[in-house]
Amino acid sequence: MQPEDIINLDAYPIADRNAPERKALIQRLRAELADKQYVSLPDFIRPEARAQAVADAMEALPRAHPNCADRSCYLHRQGDASLPPDHPRNIMLKSSTRMLAYDRFSDESPVKTLYHWAPVREMVTEVVGAQALYDSADPCQPVNLLCYEPGDQSAWHFDSDNAFTMTLMLQAADRGGEFEMVPNTRSDDDQNYDYVAQVVTGARPQDTVAVAREVGSLCIFRGCNSVHRVSPVEGETTRIMAVFVYEDAPGVVGDPKVNETIYGRV
């Protein structure tokens, strides 16, 4: 498929950098991201392209790495003995997902074409306010598929030190699998541990924002300082989400230890 067969360019005119419609779109998305810490672009991918991407994912699913562990919201699998048991760094939460690395599914998948198309990367660069973004050179990370079978979930967590996270919902669960976040849970200057502990133990449900993620929706959000989760998946249908990783410099390869932990790659 060509990019114009994949991306809904009628709703998101991103191909022409000088088009007034594109400039207005970028301005709106930047303001929304700054205000809410997330922005959702419904119907970003065309139905035929999404169906093909789902088929590619389901064909590759037997090659997915099961990533199941108890971890803190800081993505650590061990706590800190120097801190009290109720400290958020010692509160372990169960997560279970199935990860398809970039090289585990078809090179013809529409999500790979979308990822590598310059107008998409340029749009994201402007929306998040980066100087420049580049495709990842890692064998696992550029665009990967995060799959949830019934019972799987992604517990409350921060996205390490990523400036932003970008995802595309390919297939929703029958029930559950809701994406929830608490915007600005912490800041660069304040870890806000007491508040984080309340959120991850369920004491602040009123602060949780449910982010709409209909199938075909692209989502960009600030996951570094806004704790977020995916609720347990129920029903027969596999929840499938593409995760896009861009870098601030060309030729970046990820940490081999991260790839081993997340993708099962040694």
Side-chain angles (χ1 to χ4, degrees):
M1 287 184 173
Q2 297 302 307
E4 56 269 22
D5 301 320
I6 298 169
I7 299 164
N8 182 1
L9 294 175
D10 296 329
Y12 303 102
I14 62 174
D16 182 359
R17 297 193 68 175
N18 296 317
E21 297 85 358
R22 181 187 182 278
K23 294 180 180 179
L25 172 67
I26 297 297
Q27 185 176 17
R28 175 176 67 82
L29 296 177
R30 288 191 67 168
E32 191 172 342
L33 181 62
D35 179 48
K36 301 192 299 185
Q37 300 301 295
Y38 71 89
V39 61
S40 184
L41 288 67
D43 298 319
F44 188 80
I45 188 172
R46 296 188 181 278
E48 298 82 0
R50 185 183 68 82
Q52 182 59 56
V54 170
D56 293 335
M58 294 305 295
E59 184 279 327
L61 190 58
R63 299 189 290 276
H65 174 63
N67 190 1
C68 307
D70 290 347
R71 67 186 188 191
S72 72
C73 62
Y74 306 99
L75 303 179
H76 298 152
R77 298 191 178 189
Q78 292 184 336
D80 187 337
S82 68
L83 298 172
D86 59 352
H87 192 281
R89 292 191 177 276
N90 286 325
I91 299 174
M92 295 295 155
L93 307 165
K94 185 175 293 296
S95 287
S96 60
T97 59
R98 293 147 213 281
M99 297 295 301
L100 276 167
Y102 178 85
D103 59 0
R104 286 292 190 254
F105 61 99
S106 173
D107 286 340
E108 302 302 317
S109 176
V111 296
K112 290 189 178 181
T113 301
L114 186 158
Y115 172 82
H116 291 295
W117 196 42
V120 171
R121 185 175 60 252
E122 291 162 357
M123 177 199 75
V124 177
T125 301
E126 294 181 50
V127 169
V128 303
Q131 291 293 320
L133 293 175
Y134 303 86
D135 290 356
S136 170
D138 192 88
C140 299
Q141 297 183 18
V143 55
N144 52 82
L145 301 179
L146 184 55
C147 305
Y148 297 76
E149 297 284 11
D152 288 342
Q153 63 179 313
S154 184
W156 288 113
H157 65 284
F158 296 103
D159 286 339
S160 58
D161 57 356
N162 295 340
F164 70 94
T165 303
M166 174 175 160
T167 64
L168 176 67
M169 179 60 72
L170 296 175
Q171 183 166 270
D174 293 331
R175 298 180 302 281
E178 301 295 335
F179 178 60
E180 301 173 332
M181 68 182 297
V182 178
N184 299 312
T185 327
R186 65 179 181 181
S187 69
D188 293 341
D189 300 321
D190 184 4
Q191 288 292 323
N192 211 5
Y193 285 129
D194 289 344
Y195 182 58
V196 171
Q198 292 178 49
V199 171
V200 302
T201 56
R204 301 285 300 188
Q206 67 273 23
D207 296 344
T208 300
V209 175
V211 180
R213 271 188 175 178
E214 300 89 353
V215 292
S217 293
L218 185 76
C219 184
I220 302 172
F221 63 98
R222 304 285 191 187
C224 180
N225 287 334
S226 298
V227 70
H228 52 282
R229 70 174 179 180
V230 173
S231 65
V233 163
E234 303 175 27
E236 301 293 327
T237 304
T238 302
R239 182 186 191 270
I240 306 172
M241 185 175 66
V243 182
F244 301 86
V245 177
Y246 292 110
E247 303 290 353
D248 294 330
V252 173
V253 176
D255 185 341
K257 291 184 178 179
V258 172
N259 285 350
E260 181 178 359
T261 300
I262 296 179
Y263 303 102
R265 193 67 50 83
V266 177

